[in-house]
Structure formats: structure tokens, C-alpha cells
Amino acid sequence: MAVLMRYVLGLAAWLATAGMLTWAFDPSSSSNFVVYWGQSSAGSQKPLAEYCKDATVDVIALSFLYQFPNTMLDLSASCRTTFPDSQLLHCPDVATDIKYCQSQGKIVLLSMGGAAGSYGFSSDAQAQTYADTVWNMFLAGNSTQRPFDDAVLDGVDLDIEGGSTTGYAAYIAQLRTRFATGGGKRFYITGAPQCPFPDSMLASTLNSAWFDMVFVQFYNNYCGLDAYPSGFNYDTWDQWAKTQAVNKDVKLYIGAPGSQSAAGRGYVDALTLNAIVGAVRSKYTSLGGVMTWDASQAMGGSAWGQSVSSSLKGGLTKTQARRRRRR
């Protein structure tokens, strides 16, 4: 089995390098693989573009915008330079990589929040004003200081794990009014709640604002992947998606640690996760794919990320695969 897996992964990598197996992100698919990149939680991480050179990754969430509304970014050692007389990061190399990833059919999001940081809004009005700031600094607006220069990110992810719950629905609503002025480019809103339902930080926002994708963190809690099948609560989140979500076509992602050291609990090996994903996919139309924390853990020394992604894409029908493959 191990020899066969190495052969399959090697063949997939060769085909991707040859340009024969390059995939574009498809928001309607159940085969997307999402990675968080920026925090180098394994101790080191490759440049962003390295994760976009084959078919493995479909969505990258840059982590994190860890302070707002006083805008501060942290991308670990991948960007240390700042604008003159400012603590705001200026990352031209990352900007080049963002545009490369987008040219390969990936989407790149700005993840706001995280487990550590100082963030939150005091009112809806402050949140709406900050939505304009994010639009101008990171998306399709204009600002004298843009951390990623002329690279236009594909949307915003809310990984809210602390602070106040105030203002996030107003923030999303204001961003969505800006999206309509984006010259035809499609932008996305995603969220990353913890698996206990309802999520303590995002519950009211999830019920009152539009989300395209929700990356449920099925780890570090009693309802995680290590509790499958009896304690794993994907069914609860599916019920929310179909009955309570503003966007009834919202896609749910199974959030998984990329290695044993990536989370306190919830890690399962690739073969186990692939089996869980297969069972979920056969029963629920809400599945969008798998999210993992993080790129450095999932795609470091092991082939965990490649195995999970290959299994996701291998589970497509021939018609779905043709739609997803870039020509």
C-alpha cells in the first residue's frame, strides 16, 4: 500500500509539472484543498509560490491580519520589511507569489484574527469603515500603503477566536457592497469556526451574514476528527448550512491538522481522513473539501497533504474532473 501511494503521488506530481494535471479552484466542487500559510507553525515554511506549483492546493489563506482595526500583519519569516516610518509589513516578494498562485488557478484569501492577536470592533460603524480599509489595502481599492502592492486578493477569511463578537456581520455586508464594484472579479467571504455548535465567536455572524465557504475546525475539541464517528458533528453543521445559513449553497470544509504537532488533538492520518471525507461526501452535498492547518505541517516532510488532496480529486466523477481541470 505504501509503495502504491508513493507511486500515485509521484505520478500526480509529474503530471502537474508537465502541465497535464493543473486544476482551477471550483467553488461548487467537493474536492478543494485549503491551506493556511504564513505562520510557519512547523518551524519553517516554503515561499508561497512553492505551494502553487502543482495540483495539490486550491485555496491559500494568508495568516494572519492579527491586529485590526489598527492594521498589523504577521507572516513569520516570509516577510520582515515594513513601510518607511511604519510597522506595517510591505511584502513585494509575497505579492509576486500571490499573482503566480492566481495564475495557476488558485485563490488567495486574507485571514483575519487567529488564536493570538489583538483585534475586534467596538461598533458596526467601525466595522463598516474597516471594511473599506481592507478593500483599499488588500483587495481592488486604492491606498498609498498596500502590503502586497498591486496584487489583488480574492477575499477575506474570518478566523475569529477572541475579542468581541460585535460588528462582523456589518463588516461583511459593507465588503459585499464593495465587491460589486470590483470590475467583474469574484470575491469570497469565508469563516473558520470551531466545531462546537454554535461557535462562541462567530455564531451570530454565521446566522446573519453571507459566507461562501466555512472551514470548520474539527480539532482541539470534543467534536473533532479523533471523535469520529460518534462525536464528530459534521451533521450538525450540515443542518446549519441547509436551514440557517444566509447562503443556502454555502460549502463546508472539514478542517484537519496537517500533522500530529499541528494541534493539541484531532489529528488523524491521511488514510483515515480520506475515509472520513469519502463517507461525508457520499451523504452530504454541502461538502466543499478539506482545510488544513497549516501548509508547513501538511506539506513538510510527509506526503499527508498530497495524499489528502489526491484522494479528494480522485473522488470526482469524470465529468466533474473535466470541469475542474484547466485546459
Side-chain angles (χ1 to χ4, degrees):
M1 179 63 73
V3 172
L4 177 61
M5 180 61 70
R6 285 195 296 271
Y7 171 80
V8 170
L9 292 175
L11 179 61
W14 179 85
L15 289 171
T17 302
M20 299 169 63
L21 192 62
T22 303
W23 300 75
F25 167 69
D26 178 358
S28 66
S29 175
S30 63
S31 67
N32 294 304
F33 187 62
V34 181
V35 298
Y36 280 79
W37 176 90
Q39 287 304 291
S40 188
S41 69
S44 63
Q45 64 189 4
K46 299 174 186 176
L48 177 61
E50 293 297 315
Y51 298 100
C52 298
K53 289 185 174 179
D54 64 21
T56 304
V57 174
D58 302 289
V59 180
I60 301 117
L62 305 181
S63 52
F64 288 107
L65 177 61
Y66 75 101
Q67 286 190 24
F68 58 85
N70 59 320
T71 306
M72 293 292 287
L73 283 165
D74 177 17
L75 297 176
S76 189
S78 295
C79 180
R80 297 294 197 194
T81 59
T82 61
F83 287 100
D85 301 317
S86 171
Q87 292 183 307
L88 179 64
L89 291 181
H90 181 213
C91 311
D93 290 342
V94 177
T96 298
D97 285 1
I98 289 168
K99 289 185 281 187
Y100 171 75
C101 290
Q102 291 170 329
S103 76
Q104 298 304 299
K106 326 295 185 183
I107 67 167
V108 185
L109 309 172
L110 175 67
S111 187
M112 300 173 57
S118 177
Y119 54 82
F121 302 119
S122 60
S123 66
D124 284 357
Q126 186 185 56
Q128 290 167 333
T129 298
Y130 194 66
D132 292 338
T133 298
V134 168
W135 174 257
N136 289 326
M137 292 181 69
F138 298 99
L139 301 176
N142 294 288
S143 175
T144 56
Q145 292 185 333
R146 286 179 58 91
F148 307 123
D149 294 332
D150 61 346
V152 177
L153 296 179
D154 297 289
V156 171
D157 171 62
L158 297 180
D159 182 11
I160 307 304
E161 301 185 33
S164 169
T165 62
T166 299
Y168 290 106
Y171 171 82
I172 291 171
Q174 180 64 15
L175 265 186
R176 283 176 53 78
T177 65
R178 290 293 193 174
F179 290 176
T181 69
K185 177 180 172 68
R186 182 167 181 180
F187 294 93
Y188 299 89
I189 299 288
T190 70
Q194 310 285 318
C195 62
F197 187 89
D199 180 74
S200 62
M201 298 305 303
L202 281 175
S204 61
T205 306
L206 288 167
N207 288 338
S208 58
W210 180 282
F211 285 85
D212 297 286
M213 296 170 272
V214 173
F215 310 143
V216 184
Q217 298 182 47
F218 287 107
Y219 48 92
N220 289 335
N221 273 296
Y222 63 87
C223 44
L225 289 160
D226 56 336
Y228 183 87
S230 59
F232 179 67
N233 67 341
Y234 186 96
D235 57 338
T236 302
W237 284 97
D238 176 77
Q239 182 70 9
W240 166 81
K242 290 182 169 62
T243 62
Q244 294 178 262
V246 174
N247 173 17
K248 295 301 189 291
D249 293 318
V250 63
K251 285 294 187 178
L252 302 178
Y253 286 67
I254 296 174
S259 74
Q260 190 76 53
S261 61
R265 61 175 292 186
Y267 172 76
V268 294
D269 63 55
L271 290 178
T272 300
L273 179 58
N274 295 342
I276 293 172
V277 171
V280 170
R281 178 187 257 162
S282 69
K283 187 174 182 180
Y284 302 105
T285 58
S286 58
L287 183 68
V290 169
M291 171 276 283
T292 188
W293 176 266
D294 65 350
S296 68
Q297 300 271 2
M299 301 172 68
S302 75
W304 185 94
Q306 290 86 343
S307 174
V308 172
S309 179
S310 294
S311 179
L312 279 167
K313 293 166 176 59
L316 295 177
T317 65
K318 291 182 179 179
T319 301
Q320 290 170 324
R322 283 195 295 270
R323 186 174 69 242
R324 287 221 47 190
R325 192 174 292 121
R326 288 169 59 87
R327 293 183 173 87

